Amino acid sequence: MPKQNSPGRLVTAMRATPPLVHCITNYVAMNIAANVLLAAGASPAMVHAEEEAGEFAAIAGALTINIGTLSASWVKGMHNAARSAARNGKPWVLDPVAHYASGFRREAVAGLIDLNPTIIRGNASEIIALGGAESRGQGVDSRDTVEQAEETARDVAIQYGAVVAVTGAVDFVTDGANAVRIVGGSPLMPQVTALGCALTCLVGAFAAIAPEEPFDATVAALASFAVAGEKAAALADGPGSFSWRFLDALAGLDGTTLDAAARVTPV
């Protein structure tokens, strides 16, 4: 990765100029996602109403869309926001939560992906299903490994012209031509509700800082999560104490620490 776009350089830039991030996320994730962005140095805005989502996406630095708790009006707001982001040259991130679980979800994601997301972030089962293969996912839980999803992730990246991030025990990021694995985090992370959804919002924050470099932005977000997760887990007694320690660890990350601790390997 070029030095100027290292995770540490990008987190330093975000703390110097906090980006406004438009987050359309689910009810479960709103609080933790907002706190994660604040800890990282960004400014979150949870705006989903169809009457204003398009207008708001035009003024934000980036948009993130998570389909965790859908309704017809929310889908309209998502479409309005995604169209506006594209029209105004703003990067946007799609989190296709359990999109294989119902016809309503499949239809929503099909419509959104046609609006050209800059980045797609999901677990292994979600990415495998997005590529048209049969996954073992159950609800929001992945029953497939990141390694099993890597080839599909490359295909999805090429098909949709997007950066694709597959998150799990070891994260994988690809734009179809380049790819990296990111090691870190903690087994406690899946035990904290909506932490993965919050990661999607953080990807958007980094994309707002480096809109022309979505691959580097995605890697920086995942590396920040991985390093903060390791630091929090070292002191946590369980998922409860991990949750607040993770926010503290994320808030305490500086560029030098992040670049020294991040374990990002090209593949």
Side-chain angles (χ1 to χ4, degrees):
M1 181 182 302
K3 184 177 180 181
Q4 65 268 26
N5 290 322
S6 73
R9 295 292 284 272
L10 293 182
V11 80
T12 299
M14 180 150 59
R15 295 190 188 283
T17 309
L20 176 63
V21 186
H22 180 182
C23 305
I24 304 180
T25 192
N26 61 77
Y27 291 118
V28 180
M30 287 185 187
N31 183 266
I32 182 63
N35 284 336
V36 161
L37 288 194
L38 291 170
S43 178
M46 277 44 189
V47 177
H48 63 265
E50 61 180 289
E51 294 84 358
E52 66 170 341
E55 185 177 357
F56 202 90
I59 65 172
L63 165 71
T64 69
I65 295 178
N66 172 302
I67 70 160
T69 49
L70 281 179
S71 70
S73 64
W74 275 46
V75 171
K76 290 179 182 177
M78 292 172 180
H79 285 176
N80 291 346
R83 280 192 290 265
S84 177
R87 186 167 57 247
N88 288 280
K90 306 298 179 69
W92 76 275
V93 186
L94 175 63
D95 188 340
V97 180
H99 65 95
Y100 44 74
S102 70
F104 184 38
R105 288 177 177 275
R106 288 191 293 273
E107 183 179 354
V109 165
L112 287 167
I113 208 162
D114 283 343
L115 297 175
N116 302 313
T118 312
I119 301 162
I120 301 169
R121 203 287 309 173
N123 64 36
S125 293
E126 290 161 350
I127 298 303
I128 288 171
L130 198 63
E134 184 175 350
S135 78
R136 297 188 297 135
Q138 181 175 341
V140 299
D141 296 325
S142 178
R143 300 298 177 90
D144 300 285
T145 68
V146 172
E147 186 177 9
Q148 289 172 322
E150 288 184 1
E151 183 177 352
T152 302
R154 292 180 191 269
D155 293 340
V156 170
I158 293 169
Q159 180 177 356
Y160 296 111
V163 172
V164 176
V166 190
T167 53
V170 177
D171 299 330
F172 179 77
V173 181
T174 183
D175 60 6
N178 306 292
V180 299
R181 295 191 183 102
I182 302 165
V183 177
S186 164
L188 289 171
M189 297 177 89
Q191 299 181 46
V192 178
T193 300
L195 205 56
C197 302
L199 174 55
T200 296
C201 294
L202 187 62
V203 171
F206 277 97
I209 289 297
E212 302 302 320
E213 301 292 343
F215 181 86
D216 293 349
T218 304
V219 171
L222 271 57
S224 297
F225 244 58
V227 172
E230 284 187 321
K231 290 182 177 296
L235 300 172
D237 296 317
S241 59
F242 176 86
S243 181
W244 64 262
R245 289 186 186 279
F246 175 78
L247 288 176
D248 283 353
L250 192 61
L253 275 184
D254 58 46
T256 300
T257 301
L258 180 56
D259 278 343
R263 288 181 283 164
V264 180
T265 305
V267 291

